[in-house]
Amino acid sequence: MRILIVEDEPTLGQQLKSTLEQNGYAVDLSTDGEDGHFLGSTEEYDAAILDLGLPEIDGLTVLGMWRKEKRNFPVLVLTARDSWSDKVAGLDAGADDYLAKPFQTEELIARLRALIRRASGNASSELTAGPVRLDTRSGRVTLAGEPVKLTAQEYKLLSYLMHHKGKVVSRTELIEHIYDQDFDRDSNTIEVFVTRIRKKLGADVITTIRGLGYSLDDPDEAPRE
C-alpha cells in the first residue's frame, strides 16, 4: 500500500514516514501544500495523511482541489487544531477521518489501516483467500494456520492483491502502489515477487491473466475485471 504524507514539520514528517515504512507501506513525503497537491494529483495512492496548516497552499484547499479532480483516495486529516469547527470543515471538504496533534502513532496507523480496508470493501483487519490469511495489524501471513515468512516487497504485493481480492490488477497498478516515488521501478521484479509468493503459498494462490495482470481469489471464484 502506498501512502502520501503532506506535513510541514520535518521531524514529525520523517518520523511518520519511517514508522509507516517499518509497517510495510511505501511512503512519499511532501512538506508543503503545492507539492503535496501535485503528488496527490499525479501519482497513485491508497491513502493520504494531510496536515491542515501547510505553507504555500493550506490543507483544506489541497483537499478540496483533490476532490474536485476526482482523486478519491482516503484522506486522514492531521492537525494541531482541535476545535469542532475545524473538524467539521475538514470532513465537509472531503476528509475521511480526523486526528488532532499530539497523537499516538499506534492510533494513526490503526485509523489508516481502517480507511484502506473500507476503501477496498474489507471490514475485517484479517484478510483471507482460501487457506491464506493476512493480518493487517500484525503483518502476519499464514497458510492453513502455519506462519509464512515473506520479504517486505512480497508482503506489499500480497497485501495489495488481498485488499483487491477477485479483481484483475495490472502490473502497472502494482508498481504504482507498492513502490514509493524514489524507488527504481522495474516491472520485471513484479513477476519475480509473484513467483516467490507462489513458491511459499502455493502455485495457484495468484493467477496470471494473460495480457491483463494478476488476480488473487478464493477457490472456485472467478476474478472480476
Side-chain angles (χ1 to χ4, degrees):
M1 295 293 159
R2 189 178 175 196
I3 309 298
L4 172 63
I5 300 173
V6 190
E7 169 59 63
D8 67 320
E9 295 181 29
T11 300
L12 177 58
Q14 288 295 337
Q15 287 175 344
L16 289 176
K17 185 176 188 296
S18 176
T19 299
L20 289 175
E21 287 174 340
Q22 290 171 13
N23 279 268
Y25 296 97
V27 184
D28 292 330
L29 173 62
S30 175
T31 57
D32 67 73
E34 184 175 0
D35 181 62
H37 166 253
F38 176 78
L39 288 176
S41 298
T42 59
E43 298 286 336
E44 296 297 326
Y45 293 101
D46 296 288
I49 300 170
L50 177 67
D51 184 33
L52 291 189
L54 296 169
E56 305 299 337
I57 306 175
D58 69 88
L60 281 178
T61 301
V62 170
L63 179 55
M65 293 166 69
W66 283 342
R67 294 317 191 212
K68 287 181 181 178
E69 296 161 353
K70 307 301 182 184
R71 306 299 284 178
N72 295 321
F73 48 78
V75 176
L76 172 62
V77 168
L78 186 65
T79 179
R81 309 172 189 174
D82 196 25
S83 71
W84 67 267
S85 59
D86 288 328
K87 294 179 181 179
V88 169
L91 294 171
D92 282 347
D96 298 273
D97 201 356
Y98 196 108
L99 193 59
K101 302 174 185 177
F103 57 86
Q104 295 294 323
T105 304
E106 291 80 3
E107 181 182 2
L108 180 142
I109 293 173
R111 287 176 179 267
L112 192 62
R113 283 197 304 260
L115 288 177
I116 293 172
R117 287 200 312 270
R118 289 199 295 267
S120 58
N122 295 287
S124 173
S125 61
E126 188 174 80
L127 308 179
T128 63
V132 178
R133 294 180 180 270
L134 186 151
D135 190 329
T136 61
R137 295 167 299 182
S138 65
R140 187 169 183 259
V141 176
T142 60
L143 176 65
E146 295 298 319
V148 177
K149 187 174 182 180
L150 300 178
T151 66
Q153 295 297 345
E154 290 166 2
Y155 176 86
K156 289 177 183 178
L157 190 150
L158 179 67
S159 176
Y160 190 81
L161 289 176
M162 292 193 74
H163 274 87
H164 299 84
K165 185 175 68 173
K167 176 186 175 184
V168 177
V169 179
S170 70
R171 187 178 297 190
T172 298
E173 183 176 344
L174 284 170
I175 291 170
E176 290 174 338
H177 286 269
I178 71 172
Y179 296 135
D180 60 45
Q181 186 185 31
D182 297 328
F183 198 91
D184 183 14
R185 303 177 181 183
D186 182 356
S187 63
N188 293 324
T189 61
I190 297 297
E191 183 61 37
V192 173
F193 295 144
V194 168
T195 299
R196 291 177 182 174
I197 292 171
R198 284 171 173 158
K199 288 181 179 179
K200 295 178 180 181
L201 298 178
D204 298 330
V205 67
I206 298 174
T207 303
T208 299
I209 311 298
R210 189 174 298 276
L212 295 176
Y214 303 96
S215 177
L216 187 148
D217 311 282
D218 278 321
D220 302 322
E221 286 189 5
R224 65 182 188 275
E225 296 184 16

